[in-house]
Amino acid sequence: MSNDTQDEPVQDQHSTTENDKVAGILLQQEADLAGHDEAQVLAALRQRFADGGHEVADDVVAEHARRIAGMEANRFSQK
């Protein structure tokens, strides 16, 4: 039996770049909010980035919100 213990959060055990973290948020929001109102997507993205401490330029966030709102809704993002 091993004496190894988990002494830190799992997410802290792996090195993930800031870009990878932002990309992960975008992928999740695409799945959750595809086809939703652009203002709703924009608010959700701003909140998720703020919660994670990620600084993303507002014009970039707006561009992603527009893109996600324009996507076809899927079974996860149904209104």
Side-chain angles (χ1 to χ4, degrees), residues 5-48:
T5 62
Q6 180 177 335
D7 298 326
E8 58 187 24
V10 173
Q11 65 199 49
D12 290 343
Q13 294 178 6
H14 306 284
S15 62
T16 305
T17 68
E18 179 70 11
N19 286 342
D20 290 340
K21 291 175 185 177
V22 168
I25 290 171
L26 290 170
L27 284 173
Q28 184 63 53
Q29 294 303 290
E30 288 172 7
D32 292 345
L33 298 173
H36 283 237
D37 179 71
E38 186 175 330
Q40 180 185 8
V41 177
L42 182 59
L45 286 175
R46 285 178 175 155
Q47 186 64 50
R48 287 292 306 273

